[in-house]
Amino acid sequence: MTYESILMVGCGNMAGAMLEGWLKGGVPAKTFTVMDPMREELPGGIPVQRELPEEGTYDAILLGVKPQMLADVAPQLQKLVGPHTTILSILAGVQLDTLAKNFPDAGSVVRVMPNLAVSLGKAPVALAEHGLDDAGRDTLHQFMAHLGTPSWVGEDKFDLVTALAGSGPGFVYRFIDALKVAAVRLGLDEKQATDLSIAMTEGASALASQSEHDPGKLADMVASPGGVTRKGLDVLDEDQAMIQLMTKCLRAARDRSIEMSREARD
């Protein structure tokens, strides 16, 4: 199995970020055929097609439309799907059995859950599949590695992984913004507060990714007993306030993903 010809159906924010990441990772622009009725231009000078190709088969077809459009788009794609085609879906809530039912002639179907950091090659990329053999899984894993860190996930955990790795950047950005707002309220200039919050988060994240210690241990290593950091951590740690908040946050996002899966089946 190779990924030398990929049709992208829809190229919004996420699919566009994936395209950018693949190109930056060295995948040739000629690999991609992109159909999107709205995009004016694409990275790499790739031309935008307004309609689906009339003929041809592809190694992979990436579904980047809205989930509710699947029933309309799938019949139009049947003529382009063959037994060697892999369907790659970033459609939130659309499960593997639904994809297989909509694309019965496809050799395999794969759910892909990235986040926008794919454009930098630094995103977690959750994958769940049906129909791939071991060689096919290895090939897809290598191809997705251009976008960051791919990981195979059981579909029963996909909603939770979606909440953590897919929605997680939104939660991190809210945390950075909260740091900024708090610093402004306590007297810092807004731009300075923003710059310091972003730089601090970037550095802390980079260190966490390279450290032999887990993040909880790193937090304790920053904090001296009775010191400045410890006083702040005491607020977050009291009654597990931070853990309780993030558990509630992830549960809400996971449960919405489950709801969307049910809606996609109806």
Side-chain angles (χ1 to χ4, degrees):
M1 176 182 291
T2 60
Y3 291 96
E4 297 178 354
S5 60
I6 298 175
L7 173 63
M8 301 183 70
V9 183
C11 196
N13 290 338
M14 186 62 71
M18 294 173 72
L19 177 59
E20 188 175 350
W22 276 317
L23 294 175
K24 287 181 178 178
V27 180
K30 67 180 182 180
T31 301
F32 303 97
T33 301
V34 181
M35 191 287 293
D36 191 290
M38 304 299 293
R39 287 289 292 256
E40 294 298 328
E41 57 182 8
L42 295 170
I46 297 172
V48 185
Q49 299 189 14
R50 299 305 180 195
E51 297 181 354
L52 291 171
E54 289 296 324
E55 58 184 5
T57 58
Y58 294 86
D59 296 330
I61 296 177
L62 174 68
L63 303 176
V65 297
K66 295 182 183 300
Q68 58 268 30
M69 295 176 63
L70 176 62
D72 293 329
V73 169
Q76 302 177 50
L77 289 171
Q78 299 305 330
K79 60 187 176 183
L80 306 175
V81 176
H84 300 294
T85 303
T86 296
I87 301 296
L88 303 173
S89 171
I90 59 173
L91 308 186
V94 178
Q95 296 184 321
L96 292 173
D97 57 354
T98 300
L99 293 170
K101 183 167 62 176
N102 277 274
F103 298 98
D105 295 331
S108 55
V109 293
V110 181
R111 293 181 69 179
V112 184
M113 178 50 62
N115 65 45
L116 289 175
V118 289
S119 65
L120 303 175
K122 292 185 176 296
V125 184
L127 303 168
E129 60 83 20
H130 173 74
L132 289 175
D133 58 18
D134 288 344
R137 285 166 60 96
D138 289 344
T139 300
L140 182 60
H141 191 278
Q142 293 173 18
F143 186 68
M144 290 295 176
H146 292 294
L147 306 180
T149 306
S151 179
W152 293 103
V153 177
E155 194 173 24
D156 61 331
K157 296 292 190 295
F158 212 81
D159 296 303
L160 179 55
V161 171
T162 296
L164 175 59
S167 302
F171 310 148
V172 173
Y173 300 147
R174 188 68 81 204
F175 173 72
I176 297 171
D177 185 64
L179 283 176
K180 182 252 317 191
V181 172
V184 169
R185 288 181 177 179
L186 293 172
L188 272 188
D189 168 82
E190 183 168 359
K191 185 180 185 308
Q192 186 176 42
T194 300
D195 292 345
L196 287 172
S197 296
I198 292 172
M200 179 279 299
T201 308
E202 181 181 16
S205 179
L207 180 59
S209 70
Q210 298 176 29
S211 177
E212 61 182 286
H213 303 293
D214 66 50
K217 176 64 174 177
L218 287 174
D220 289 333
M221 290 170 65
V222 175
S224 301
V228 174
T229 305
R230 175 52 61 192
K231 283 298 182 180
L233 285 177
D234 286 346
V235 176
L236 298 179
D237 294 344
E238 185 177 5
D239 297 325
Q240 295 190 323
M242 178 67 98
I243 294 174
Q244 295 286 359
L245 177 62
M246 295 316 303
T247 301
K248 184 177 180 180
C249 180
L250 289 179
R251 182 184 293 116
R254 180 205 63 186
D255 290 352
R256 177 53 185 152
S257 182
I258 292 172
E259 288 176 359
M260 292 178 70
S261 296
R262 292 170 180 160
E263 292 167 0
R265 288 175 175 271
D266 294 340

